Amino acid sequence: IAGITQAPTSQILAAGRRMTLRCTQDMRHNAMYWYRQDLGLGLRLIHYSNTAGTTGKGEVPDGYSVSRANTDDFPLTLASAVPSQTSVYFCASSDSQGGADTQYFGPGTRLTVL
Amino acid sequence: GQNIDQPTEMTATEGAIVQINCTYQTSGFNGLFWYQQHAGEAPTFLSYNVLDGLEEKGRFSSFLSRSKGYSYLLLKELQMKDSASYLCALQGGDYKLSFGAGTTVTVRA
């Protein structure tokens, strides 16, 4: 069982280009999340999905969009990348059945926008 | 906002004990998580406190005091592999997590 996979591992992107970061989980978790991690700022929530077919905005959603067509996949799209979107992006999932609802993280995508 | 504060860096000697504090200002939350993150890797779950008091898991313990707005992570018998960042996160009523900036612990021989 792989858990959560993300692709690509890293990417250098020209400003203005469109980019989709992929995230797939095989744990049948209901909820999925996208975070960005920047030095000194910690992890910040971009978008989330409580269940397939629904999405919501997190703390820093501007410039990003997501979709949740099925339980396993939760892609994050940058429609027109800007240098301030240079960051490490983590996808996470949780069972969302009450209790601790622990989030489990993917390995991350390091994105550089030039 | 949650205003979650952690020290930026801590250094300790192999075999010693280190306590990482996390203070917060919020009107209410479900619970508090601690995650470990090695450089260049994903955060991994360490502990979850929902009630006041101490939760012990081997060499790691986590404490929560809701009335004081305070938690700490205690790392005992430090090993070189414990060099990592430790992230404090509050779980809100909607089950979303708000993270502190993290504390980088360096273990020296």
Side-chain angles (χ1 to χ4, degrees):
Chain A
I1 295 178
I4 303 180
T5 58
Q6 293 185 235
T9 302
S10 66
Q11 182 76 43
I12 299 174
L13 191 67
R17 296 297 294 270
R18 180 184 180 89
M19 176 73 192
T20 295
L21 308 185
R22 299 184 298 279
C23 174
T24 300
Q25 54 103 358
D26 62 4
M27 297 177 284
R28 308 303 293 173
H29 282 172
N30 292 331
M32 296 186 75
Y33 312 84
W34 274 105
Y35 294 89
R36 59 177 291 173
Q37 187 173 39
D38 302 290
L39 195 64
L41 293 178
L43 286 157
R44 291 181 292 168
L45 183 65
I46 304 171
H47 284 287
Y48 64 91
S49 169
N50 288 330
T51 189
T54 69
T55 63
K57 294 181 179 181
E59 180 185 357
V60 288
D62 294 344
Y64 306 94
S65 63
V66 292
S67 61
R68 187 89 183 277
N70 56 60
T71 298
D72 299 343
D73 300 300
F74 190 43
L76 176 74
T77 298
L78 289 67
S80 178
V82 295
S84 62
Q85 292 177 311
T86 293
S87 187
V88 181
Y89 291 85
F90 287 99
C91 179
S93 70
S94 67
D95 199 12
S96 189
Q97 295 295 327
D101 197 26
T102 302
Q103 292 186 22
Y104 298 92
F105 286 80
T109 294
R110 183 174 297 275
L111 182 67
T112 302
V113 183
L114 301 176
Chain B
Q2 308 282 12
N3 293 327
I4 301 167
D5 292 314
Q6 306 178 232
T8 303
E9 295 179 330
M10 301 182 74
T11 301
T13 304
E14 195 173 16
I17 298 173
V18 69
Q19 177 174 316
I20 305 169
N21 295 329
C22 173
T23 58
Y24 56 85
Q25 296 173 6
T26 182
S27 58
F29 60 98
N30 283 350
L32 188 144
F33 284 86
W34 284 96
Y35 281 82
Q36 181 189 58
Q37 186 178 24
H38 286 100
E41 297 184 7
T44 56
F45 168 72
L46 281 181
S47 68
Y48 176 67
N49 291 71
V50 62
L51 301 175
D52 282 5
L54 191 67
E55 293 281 342
E56 295 188 83
K57 276 188 178 182
R59 295 189 298 113
F60 293 1
S61 302
S62 57
F63 173 84
L64 175 65
S65 170
R66 287 178 177 266
S67 61
K68 295 183 179 178
Y70 167 67
S71 172
Y72 67 73
L73 180 69
L74 195 68
L75 286 62
K76 295 177 278 189
E77 300 170 18
L78 277 173
Q79 302 175 10
M80 300 300 287
K81 67 178 182 180
D82 297 331
S83 292
S85 289
Y86 292 86
L87 315 179
C88 172
L90 285 177
Q91 183 187 55
D94 58 0
Y95 292 94
K96 303 299 178 291
L97 295 182
S98 296
F99 284 85
T103 299
T104 299
V105 172
T106 302
V107 181
R108 299 195 186 280

